[in-house]
């Protein structure tokens, strides 16, 4: 069974930084895209940053210039470096991947990691 395992969330003061990691488990033939979404209380889940196998990257306007998405293809891992964090960045962050695996071509989600920006 394919799993996305996230790490790196936590509590940080405004202006601080966090780095999220998401590793896809074994039995992966190819990665079409990976990315990060977030969902704040009472709000819809939104795309934060995404990267395709062709290295096309897109960011939500609200995080441009502050967040950076990157991948380590050898480790099937995607990272989200978050700098200059603001209270409005507080949310549960979910890793997402579109993969070809032994299960076929599917979308997968991580379990979510809490990011809280507060003084």
């Amino acid at each position: 069974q394919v799993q996305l395992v996230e790490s790196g969330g936590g509590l940080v003061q405004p202006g601080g930084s966090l780095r999220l990691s998401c590793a896809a488990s074994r039995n992966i033939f190819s990665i079409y895209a990976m990315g990060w979404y977030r969902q704040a209380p009472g709000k819809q889940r939104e795309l934060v940053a995404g990267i395709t196998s062709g290295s096309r990257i897109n960011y939500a306007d609200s995080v441009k210039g502050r967040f950076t998405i990157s991948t380590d293809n050898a480790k099937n891992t995607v990272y989200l470096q978050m700098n200059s964090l603001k209270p409005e960045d507080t949310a549960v962050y979910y890793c997402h991947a579109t993969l070809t695996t032994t299960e076929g071509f599917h979308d997968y989600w991580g379990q979510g990691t809490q990011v809280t920006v507060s003084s």
Side-chain angles (χ1 to χ4, degrees), residues 68-86:
T68 302
I69 189 171
S70 62
T71 58
D72 183 335
N73 293 330
K75 297 181 179 179
N76 293 330
T77 299
V78 62
Y79 304 96
L80 185 68
Q81 178 66 44
M82 304 184 293
N83 299 328
S84 302
L85 283 161
K86 304 174 181 180

Side-chain angles (χ1 to χ4, degrees), residues 2-4 95-99 101 103-110:
V2 176
Q3 290 183 321
L4 301 180
C95 177
H96 171 265
T98 302
L99 309 171
T101 72
E103 300 172 353
F105 183 77
H106 295 293
D107 289 321
Y108 297 89
W109 291 92

